[in-house]
Amino acid sequence: MPELPEVETVRRTLGPLWLGRRISGVRIARRDYIRASPPGPLARALGRGGRVETLVRHGKQLAAFLDDGRAILIHLGMSGQVLALGPGARPARADHCHVRWSLVGGGSVVVRDPRRFGGVWAYPTAEALREARWVALGPDALSVRAAALARSLGTSRRAVKACLLDQRVLAGVGNIYADEALFRAGVHPLRLACSLSGAEVAAVARAVRLVLRRAIEAGGSTLRDFVDAANHPGTNQRRFRVYGRAGHGCVRCGSTLVGGLVAQRATVWCPACQTGPYGV
DNA sequence: CCTTAATCCTGGAAGC
DNA sequence: TGCTTCCAGGATTAAG
């Protein structure tokens, strides 16, 4: 579930409980959920004893930077949740809780992830985290500008939707928001990236920013199980214009929306509003 | 280069 | 009511 707007929603709702708080204890229920960090004291401690100073997001990844320099990275994958619990509170569901940080003064933060496509990493410094995880990512989608997107797309001959989904090209967009943004920009998902005009790239960049910003304002999209750190679902799913609407009418022109497979992902577009891959 | 298929998992929905 | 099959917000890998 979590694309950029959902992760940003988690970041914002997690702050009030986690920022400024010291980690008194860490319980790791599943060792294999602590990913690439070399097994050792660093991974086992997972921030124990540190105070969380900032929560920073890049694309779909969320980092907690501690006052002693250490850094923790959380990636939610398909079904991950980060839950902020007050003193004495317990998660709404106790299963699939893989990591739990207890905080000095009460309360805790829990990472739950039934499908376990996500993970948690530990790094000795913020720089090490950036070096290992973020340098390879494209610009953050929430603030991407036309020039940066154009540079990142380069002369690629892939379908533009495949590029938007590639985190090395653009960080934060997933299957839902790729379709929503391309619809808004009036660009067909199968268009080769290199065939877009400067104006079209600018329209895509603008649409990406708008779609993501609106989704954040709505607290993210909840299709099935996404909740923020306070366990509240989002409402952005009510605003989808194309995602999940194949066979229904286009909200703009009334044409029947088409569903297909692009980059191995279910994709929906308007055959009239989105300039076709074989036209201009 | 670029695309496709398989893979890591659970669980909800649809079909019989 | 089962039981089976398919599908899902992500991302990597190998193979063609």
Side-chain angles (χ1 to χ4, degrees):
Chain A
M1 32 152 141
E3 300 184 34
L4 187 152
E6 289 73 40
V7 178
E8 176 63 16
T9 297
V10 166
R11 190 187 73 81
R12 294 182 183 189
T13 52
L14 190 54
L17 182 103
W18 216 10
L19 286 178
R21 305 292 300 282
R22 193 166 297 281
I23 297 169
S24 56
V26 180
R27 196 176 71 85
I28 298 169
R30 271 200 86 101
R31 298 300 294 267
D32 61 1
Y33 197 72
I34 312 305
R35 305 289 181 177
S37 327
L42 186 68
R44 283 197 298 276
L46 211 59
R48 185 187 290 111
R51 190 169 57 83
V52 178
E53 274 192 334
T54 53
L55 291 171
V56 179
R57 179 195 55 73
H58 189 85
K60 303 172 189 174
Q61 304 185 26
L62 180 64
F65 294 133
L66 311 184
D67 62 341
D68 57 16
R70 284 179 295 169
I72 297 168
L73 182 83
I74 301 173
H75 188 188
L76 299 178
M78 285 281 262
S79 59
Q81 304 173 332
V82 184
L83 302 166
L85 303 169
R90 295 166 42 147
R93 295 192 58 171
D95 53 344
H96 306 297
C97 293
H98 309 313
V99 180
R100 177 181 189 133
W101 289 278
S102 303
L103 308 178
V104 172
S108 62
V109 173
V110 168
V111 175
R112 225 189 136 248
D113 185 0
R115 288 177 74 180
R116 276 182 277 138
F117 288 174
V120 174
W121 290 254
Y123 295 95
T125 64
E127 201 41 47
L129 181 154
R130 289 203 169 88
E131 198 58 38
R133 303 287 310 184
W134 288 357
V135 287
L137 297 179
D140 188 76
L142 186 55
S143 59
V144 70
R145 313 284 311 206
L149 182 59
R151 205 178 312 126
S152 201
L153 290 172
T155 57
S156 169
R157 294 182 59 78
R158 300 159 80 191
V160 63
K161 176 169 176 181
C163 292
L164 295 185
L165 291 176
D166 186 340
Q167 303 301 297
R168 295 166 302 184
V169 173
L170 184 66
V173 172
N175 201 40
I176 292 178
Y177 300 107
D179 280 8
E180 294 297 315
L182 288 170
F183 171 76
R184 277 197 174 269
V187 172
H188 194 290
L190 280 173
R191 285 279 298 283
L192 298 189
C194 63
S195 77
L196 300 197
S197 67
E200 285 174 322
V201 171
V204 170
R206 208 179 313 121
V208 163
R209 294 193 307 264
L210 178 72
V211 160
L212 298 180
R213 185 164 49 79
R214 290 254 176 98
I216 292 167
E217 285 165 6
S221 300
T222 297
L223 294 187
R224 187 163 71 229
D225 49 18
F226 168 74
V227 288
D228 66 19
N231 206 39
H232 298 310
T235 61
N236 187 252
Q237 64 280 8
R238 298 193 302 226
R239 301 218 193 120
F240 293 161
R241 300 198 173 178
V242 288
Y243 180 85
R245 298 194 64 242
H248 293 83
C250 171
V251 294
R252 187 166 159 267
C253 76
S255 303
T256 300
L257 297 177
V258 177
L261 211 53
V262 177
Q264 311 297 110
R265 312 296 299 278
T267 301
V268 186
W269 66 87
C270 173
C273 296
Q274 293 173 260
T275 321
Y278 308 119
V280 168

